[in-house]
């Protein structure tokens, strides 16, 4: 019998797990769960006899893939798949997929939750500021960026976006202003919301030159990945621009230095929270389960991300 593992170091909401289970059992498959695990060894041990696997940001390394001789498909229930060793999957003829768009609204809402909290001085009673009429630059106009644009328009913000892979006309049709480079985007905006994936090209690409172009009250919102930030530049920006704040859903490596030197000017979630809503868990988890059934039963490879 086809055995499907849900391996989530940060578990889905129980209602999403129940939905996944229903889809898997109705297909005549078996479901096993590894939730809240704390070491790679536990994952390696859990994959020994499984055919398919659903993960979130869980690290699917070559070691994990090699420990699973029956594995045919791994689905990352979410957008970014930098946690999967795609080459290792390809080498073992394992299909790797993501579930694009399924958790995007949750991530976009978190970007605003962070901005509002910061703008209102942590609801401390001190006088804060409003988002209306402020400029926001959306760095990459994919699924999350598009939700951010919709919400930003609702707040009455001036919305700009840069994305070399999406046409300017598409942005104009959505009622926002396209710009032709990252430099231009950062130069025009007080807020920047990051939505680029972590790839060889984007790692450490958010550097001092870009950041220092930002308008007064510069606020960088990172609900993407920590790896895209050049942290030496981040610290330099904090030191040289007293108006700079950093709001992030991913703790940076330099977290301790931020606490020592720049208290009050940054906000970090304790655990990556962007996709951690019941709605997003249901959307992404159930999509992942359906993709597994579609692949095992019909060979459907829609959303495959390795070749
Ligand atoms: C994603 O890439 O989908 C988000 O970063 C969410 O990641 P998570 O499933 O680990 O919360």
């Amino acid at each position: 019998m086809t055995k499907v593992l849900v391996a989530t170091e940060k578990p889905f909401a129980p209602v999403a797990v129940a939905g996944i289970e229903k889809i898997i059992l109705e297909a005549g498959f078996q479901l096993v769960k590894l939730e809240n695990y704390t070491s790679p060894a536990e994952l390696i041990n859990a994959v020994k006899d499984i055919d398919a696997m659903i993960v979130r940001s869980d690290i699917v390394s070559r070691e994990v893939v090699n420990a699973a001789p029956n594995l045919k498909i791994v689905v990352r229930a979410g957008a970014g798949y930098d946690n999967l060793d795609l080459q290792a999957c390809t080498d073992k003829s394992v299909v790797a997929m993501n579930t694009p768009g399924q958790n995007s609204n949750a991530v976009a809402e978190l970007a605003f939750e962070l901005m509002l909290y910061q703008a209102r001085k942590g609801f401390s009673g001190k006088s804060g500021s409003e988002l209306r009429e402020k400029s926001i630059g959306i760095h990459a106009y994919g699924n999350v960026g598009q939700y951010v644009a919709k919400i930003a328009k609702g707040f009455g913000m001036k919305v700009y976006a840069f994305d070399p892979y999406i046409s300017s006309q598409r942005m104009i049709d959505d009622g926002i202003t396209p710009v032709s480079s990252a430099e231009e985007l950062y130069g025009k905006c007080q807020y920047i919301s990051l939505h680029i994936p972590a790839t060889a090209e984007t790692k450490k690409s958010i550097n001092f030159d870009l950041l220092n172009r930002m308008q007064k009250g510069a606020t960088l919102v990172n609900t993407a990945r920590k790896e895209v930030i050049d942290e030496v530049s981040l610290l330099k920006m904090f030191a040289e621009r007293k108006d700079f704040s950093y709001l992030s859903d991913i703790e940076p490596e330099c977290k301790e230095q931020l606490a020592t030197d720049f208290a009050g000017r940054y906000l970090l979630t304790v655990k990556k929270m962007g996709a951690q809503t019941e709605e997003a868990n249901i959307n992404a988890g159930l999509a992942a389960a359906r993709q597994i059934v579609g692949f095992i039963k019909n060979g459907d490879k829609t959303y495959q991300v390795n070749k």
Side-chain angles (χ1 to χ4, degrees), residues 70-292:
N70 301 341
L71 188 63
K72 295 158 193 71
I73 176 168
V74 51
V75 183
R76 191 280 191 247
Y81 45 87
D82 46 309
N83 53 317
L84 310 182
D85 187 328
L86 294 184
Q87 191 56 54
C89 290
T90 303
D91 291 348
K92 292 282 176 181
S93 303
V94 172
V95 169
M97 294 185 183
N98 67 348
T99 64
Q102 300 290 349
N103 59 18
S104 307
N105 182 63
V107 179
E109 284 192 15
L110 186 80
F112 282 87
E113 287 150 7
L114 295 171
M115 283 188 256
L116 290 167
Y117 185 86
Q118 178 77 3
R120 291 306 182 102
K121 303 261 170 73
F123 308 130
S124 60
K126 290 185 196 146
S127 186
S129 59
E130 301 179 24
L131 296 185
R132 189 175 167 79
E133 292 295 330
K134 303 297 189 307
S135 50
I136 182 167
I138 302 174
H139 192 165
Y141 198 59
N143 291 308
V144 183
Q146 289 167 30
Y147 277 112
V148 168
K150 280 193 195 120
I151 303 170
K153 286 198 316 182
F155 273 105
M157 300 181 87
K158 296 175 201 153
V159 188
Y160 300 88
F162 170 64
D163 192 325
Y165 303 103
I166 304 235
S167 76
S168 297
Q169 193 55 49
R170 167 72 207 272
M171 297 178 193
I172 292 165
D173 292 346
D174 288 352
I176 65 165
T177 307
V179 298
S180 52
S181 67
E183 286 74 13
E184 190 183 351
L185 187 76
Y186 285 63
K188 278 190 184 316
C189 296
Q190 174 181 348
Y191 287 90
I192 290 287
S193 193
L194 287 174
H195 304 293
I196 50 178
T199 64
E201 293 78 49
T202 64
K203 280 181 186 165
K204 297 196 180 191
S205 65
I206 309 306
N207 56 29
F208 185 73
D209 174 57
L210 270 182
L211 294 173
N212 197 32
R213 290 169 190 262
M214 289 175 73
Q215 297 278 317
K216 190 163 180 298
T219 304
L220 180 66
V221 187
N222 185 3
T223 54
R225 292 289 183 271
K226 72 174 174 186
E227 291 82 0
V228 302
I229 307 278
D230 175 41
E231 293 198 9
V232 174
S233 293
L234 184 73
L235 290 168
K236 185 170 178 201
M237 187 70 182
F238 268 108
E240 295 196 6
R241 289 274 303 261
K242 303 288 178 237
D243 62 323
F244 175 69
S245 318
Y246 183 54
L247 317 178
S248 181
D249 191 25
I250 318 100
E251 291 186 338
E253 297 299 321
C254 62
K255 182 185 151 190
E256 255 125 62
Q257 198 172 339
L258 291 188
T260 318
D261 298 343
F262 306 113
R265 292 174 52 197
Y266 68 92
L267 185 57
L268 307 174
T269 54
V270 288
K271 197 155 203 160
K272 189 152 70 110
M273 292 299 297
Q276 201 58 327
T277 64
E278 269 190 9
E279 294 88 339
N281 291 171
I282 291 169
N283 291 342
L286 271 57
R290 290 193 188 104
Q291 287 172 214
I292 285 175

Side-chain angles (χ1 to χ4, degrees), residues 5-80:
L5 171 71
V6 175
T8 47
E9 172 272 325
K10 179 179 63 188
F12 292 120
V15 63
V17 180
I20 292 169
E21 187 152 32
K22 189 164 181 285
I23 292 168
I24 297 300
L25 297 186
E26 277 175 7
F29 300 166
Q30 186 190 348
L31 187 78
V32 283
K33 293 175 235 168
L34 177 70
E35 295 178 313
N36 286 311
Y37 66 96
T38 51
S39 72
E42 285 174 83
L43 180 58
I44 286 165
N45 190 46
V47 298
K48 279 192 184 112
D49 59 348
I50 57 142
D51 301 280
M53 151 154 87
I54 297 173
V55 294
R56 298 186 61 180
S57 289
D58 306 80
I59 307 296
V60 181
S61 61
R62 184 172 287 277
E63 209 182 346
V64 171
V65 174
N66 288 346
N70 301 341
L71 188 63
K72 295 158 193 71
I73 176 168
V74 51
V75 183
R76 191 280 191 247

